[in-house]
Amino acid sequence: FEKSHVNIVELTGNHLHDYGHDWLGHTIEMYEKRGWMFFGGGRTQLEAVTPRLVEHHGNKLAFLGCNMPHTDWKVIRTEQPDVGACDIPRMQWEIRDLKARGYVPIVSIQHDEVYKHDPPAGLVRDLRQVADAGPAFVMGSQAHCPHPWEVHRGAYMHYGPGNIYFDQFWHPVRDAAQDKLYIHAGKLLTVGHLYTRIEERGRPRVLDLKERGELLSDLAGAQARL
């Protein structure tokens, strides 16, 4: 993370407490010692679901996140480190409130994992519901396999960028389409993509032109089927 110049970490992942809740708290302490912010998870549910507000070069940004599978399974704990529970109506209200206060809402939701480019119907439904409230950007953070993107009611939605740092290095989960947001004067102007492939059990590299064309063709097919 340090070598990647990370300064904001999204904590909605399904496996954040694989080694126990206490170690998630320890991880948060390591982030705080480095001056990094985090969202979508926390020491308590209140901390996990609280929007993280950032002012940077005149832009007011708000980061929100939650974990849908753990919410549906009712396994989230309230008074110990954990991912944030998803409450779509609450999140819609928060997005509208943040926009009224001049913030650019950026939303990340951990959802159902699949090993194909087509996003599952529940993911499409929930992200579109969030987009109805008018955030600038909505992402499904769960995707091992990259999913397509689209614009819904003015919100840029990426159903899942895929793996970038992970030990899955086989087709189709080795490729990814990471998002780069260009925000100026309180507006999302455009979105760039970094297309990568995992090799050597975890090392990402940039796709060449032929590989990128193949990935974009697969994603275009999935987008047409939405």
Side-chain angles (χ1 to χ4, degrees):
F1 276 6
E2 289 176 332
K3 291 181 178 179
S4 299
H5 306 289
V6 164
N7 48 39
I8 301 176
V9 183
E10 186 255 26
L11 289 178
T12 68
N14 286 335
H15 299 282
L16 282 178
H17 46 62
D18 282 359
Y19 293 93
H21 294 270
D22 291 342
W23 286 108
L24 176 55
H26 176 66
T27 299
I28 291 173
E29 291 176 0
M30 295 172 66
Y31 293 163
E32 290 177 333
K33 287 180 180 178
R34 289 162 173 78
W36 299 349
M37 297 184 67
F38 58 91
F39 70 99
R43 297 181 180 89
T44 66
Q45 273 303 294
L46 181 60
E47 185 175 57
V49 301
T50 298
R52 295 294 179 173
L53 308 181
V54 181
E55 295 195 24
H56 185 261
H57 290 291
N59 293 298
K60 299 171 66 175
L61 311 177
F63 296 86
L64 305 85
C66 65
N67 182 300
M68 186 61 75
H70 285 209
T71 305
D72 291 342
W73 301 336
K74 297 179 173 58
V75 298
I76 288 176
R77 307 295 189 267
T78 58
E79 298 301 329
Q80 62 186 27
D82 211 334
V83 296
C86 285
D87 182 338
I88 299 298
R90 185 204 71 229
M91 187 172 282
Q92 289 175 320
W93 181 91
E94 288 176 329
I95 290 168
R96 295 187 180 103
D97 177 66
L98 288 163
K99 287 189 64 179
R101 293 157 53 192
Y103 284 91
V104 179
I106 298 171
V107 183
S108 180
I109 297 179
Q110 182 90 180
H111 215 286
D112 294 330
E113 301 173 1
V114 295
Y115 288 81
K116 58 182 180 179
H117 294 298
D118 296 83
L123 168 63
V124 175
R125 178 200 63 225
D126 290 342
L127 263 62
R128 285 179 177 175
Q129 284 184 342
V130 172
D132 286 341
F137 178 76
V138 185
M139 179 185 75
S141 62
Q142 77 296 322
H144 288 297
C145 184
H147 296 320
W149 49 86
E150 65 177 355
V151 175
H152 180 76
R153 298 189 184 276
Y156 186 94
M157 298 198 314
H158 194 168
Y159 292 108
N163 293 323
I164 183 168
Y165 297 127
F166 205 48
D167 62 352
Q168 294 180 334
F169 53 95
W170 55 87
H171 183 77
V173 296
R174 61 182 176 173
D175 294 340
Q178 306 297 327
D179 302 289
K180 185 174 184 178
L181 312 184
Y182 292 86
I183 297 172
H184 177 70
K187 293 184 178 180
L188 175 61
L189 301 183
T190 189
V191 179
H193 288 112
L194 174 65
Y195 302 102
T196 60
R197 173 167 294 177
I198 295 172
E199 295 180 338
E200 301 175 3
R201 295 185 177 273
R203 182 192 298 275
R205 66 162 174 84
V206 176
L207 295 183
D208 63 29
L209 290 178
K210 180 177 181 295
E211 294 164 342
R212 185 174 67 180
E214 292 170 348
L215 174 60
L216 287 173
S217 178
D218 290 338
L219 293 177
Q223 200 279 335
R225 291 187 291 271
L226 283 176

